[in-house]
Amino acid sequence: MMAEAFSLSQSLGIAGPELIMAVGAMVLLMVGVFAGERSTQIVTGLAVALVVISGLWLVVVTPTGVAFGGSFLLDPFARFMKVLVLIGSAFAMVMSVGFASRERFNRFEYPVLMVLSTLGMMIMVSAGDLIALYLGLELQSLAIYVLAAINRDSVRSTEAGLKYFVLGALSSGMLLYGASLVYGFTGQIEFQAIAQAATAETRSIGLVIGIVFVLAGLAFKISAVPFHMWTPDVYEGAPTPITAFMAGAPKVAAMALMVRFTIDGFQNLAVDWQQVIVFVSIASMAFGAFAAIGQRNIKRLMAYSSISHMGYALVGLAAANVSGVRGVLLYMAIYLAMTVGTFAVILAMRRAEGSVEEINELAGLSRTNPVMAVALTALMLSLAGLPPLAGFFAKYFVFMAAVEAQLYGLAVIGVLSSVVGLYYYLRIVKVMWFDEPAAPFEPMAPELRFALGATALFIFPVYLVVGGTVFNAAEAAARTFF
Amino acid sequence: MLGLQATFFYFFALIAVGGGLMVVFSRNPVHSVLFLILTFVAAAGLFLLTGAEFLALILVVVYVGAVAILFLFVVMMLDLDMGRMKKGALKYAPFGAIIGLALLAQLVIALSGSYLAPSTATTLATPMPIPPLDQVTNIEALGQVLYTRYILFFQIAGLILFVAMIGAIVLTLRHKEGVRRQSIPVQVARNPKTAIEIVKVESGRGL
């Protein structure tokens, strides 16, 4: 009578890291409630420890396998993406330690919500069917809606939260509609079963509409054009550590979901969804590159930059082969490092009177704070994709995958738009090195110094050394699907 | 037996339609909400007649127990002037008519479709994890999978509600300064020594 029996204890073992996060979040909330309003620092520290423990548990203890009757998968792909998600979240939490107390919205719920959002992302990455996909996505998004609005005395923060919430609800609606069509036309919710039911010969137009709607919902979460409208405003309005969080881990998780949905569920229908991905990819790369040129606010600039980077990552997915998926994984890993580093600098842009966000405020940084200037220069050139920085390898592998899949046009447009993108990254470098110095910033907080140092050293020169290892891990993860 | 079922169907259907009309036509908004509750209960009865007792109970628990009561709160808290609100209602009538016609057209298409080509509804043989109704009732069938096969989803849904709860508190709770609050331990710990002060007032002089 049951669809398929599964062993609960085995399932709980596979979902071990998620259990740690879920139980830990509730414990942290209790600690916060009983320690009172001044406990933010303690709870944040414990939250980082929780994420690290969960990550170690994931890498060392947890076995791969299928849990909860196919709803929850832990394969090499999921493990790779979850490690990225956990690293991104841990850095975002570390970077938020000082900010909340300086901006006076010191609330212990803040790290707890970050832990719950991370839990949602882990479920997304491990989702084996449409229901887990949706629930993971909602858990992740709902926590971020609250986080974006958490500085409730600031009109901009509230506006950012509300805007993200309304548009996020719309995208959830589209995703659910698509999922219901996919279920209706295949009679299955599990990706593996959908893959068996949906063959190129028997596919109906309704199924394709369903796929397009689900992809639209997911494209919203990675802020790919044409579902990017919310990104600049929300990035600008949300408190900066939250923006740093939103730009990193959730994108990795949503991209993982996109890869799993298309490659795992609809490999047979690649022709149908490939054109969607190619369009979204080209539009994101080009729009991100051109729209960023006129920006003065560095958070808005990073929003457009992340839109175009999602376009580059999707180039790999459009290729729909092993090297393409491997390219996506590498791209997300390197993108995460570059984003964390850049936001560490943005968080450090602070004078006695408060935070500043204009690009002009970076003027003459090479003279006032040479170390920060060198690190930011490396990050900007890496975002632009210049060799020998890590960003170059990220772009190289996705473009090579596109060439391998004979998507020459896509690869050419990608290279051209990264040339356009080079302009606005170089503008920041020029402002830092050649403009008259503005007033110096306050000394960097130790946690920001750590985040910036770690990521800047990762993109150069550490990546040249560990690049092979990361590549092999990504290769093994991509082999999950082929 | 069928006659009895038909009797109850018409009974609940009439109440539902009548209640629905009264929601629109009653002058007092509080009465509208009460008629809405009546409509929900009648609809729950209709669900029960078709064998969907889970939907019937959910309708009562969620819509009557939570949504309608929330409406009632809102209606009673806000000072609504129905006369003024109804004044502008006529200019929306064309939109209402269009939506009504669209819904009617959909109904006609759906019904005529199932009459003209009854096979289209069943061309896709979907696997049915739920056993037939004559073996278990649908609450039992749901219960058999909800806490076993779908335990993961049940738990994640719980976590989502948990986040919603934290979010509501984080975004709205404010500790106002200078508000006198009841502190039960302090009240309980009072005794005559701390609470009463005996003042000897000299006669002929005020305090």
Side-chain angles (χ1 to χ4, degrees), chain B residues 9-22:
Chain B
F9 170 78
Y10 286 115
F11 174 68
F12 284 127
L14 278 178
I15 293 179
V17 173
L21 285 175
M22 287 307 288

Side-chain angles (χ1 to χ4, degrees), chain A residues 1-4 6 8 22 26 29 68-72 107 109 112-113 116 119 123 129 131-132 135-136 138-139 142-143 146 149-150 152-153 184-190, chain B residues 124-131 136 140-141 144-145 147-175:
Chain A
M1 87 131 289
M2 288 254 323
E4 60 243 73
F6 60 88
L8 185 65
M26 293 170 207
L29 199 63
F68 297 107
S71 305
F72 189 93
R107 306 179 68 89
E109 289 94 345
V112 175
L113 284 169
L116 285 167
L119 172 62
I123 293 167
D129 62 23
I131 303 180
L135 288 175
E138 277 307 293
L139 181 58
L142 194 60
V146 178
I150 199 162
R152 60 188 187 186
D153 296 325
F185 280 94
T186 60
Q188 303 289 349
I189 55 167
E190 273 170 49
Chain B
L124 250 176
T126 52
M128 290 291 284
I130 300 170
V136 287
E140 206 179 332
Q144 277 172 351
V145 290
Y147 305 111
T148 54
R149 168 66 183 83
Y150 296 120
I151 179 72
L152 178 71
F153 305 145
F154 189 72
Q155 293 293 331
I156 303 174
L159 280 171
I160 292 174
L161 292 178
F162 181 53
V163 170
M165 197 171 72
I166 298 176
I169 294 172
V170 168
L171 295 180
T172 56
L173 184 69
R174 281 172 198 273
H175 289 293

Side-chain angles (χ1 to χ4, degrees), chain B residues 54-129:
Chain B
F54 180 73
L55 278 181
L57 292 178
I58 284 293
L59 195 66
V60 172
V61 171
V62 175
Y63 279 86
V64 178
V67 176
I69 299 304
L70 188 73
F71 280 4
L72 203 58
F73 266 124
V74 171
V75 166
M76 290 172 94
M77 294 266 201
L78 301 179
D79 185 21
L80 293 177
D81 182 357
M82 290 308 279
R84 207 184 60 212
M85 281 173 67
K86 279 186 178 162
K87 223 175 256 173
L90 208 61
K91 69 180 176 208
Y92 297 114
F95 298 104
I98 289 171
I99 293 171
L101 279 176
L103 289 176
L104 189 68
Q106 283 182 347
L107 207 61
V108 169
I109 290 168
L111 286 178
S112 62
S114 71
Y115 272 118
L116 298 177
S119 61
T120 49
T122 51
T123 43
L124 250 176
T126 52
M128 290 291 284

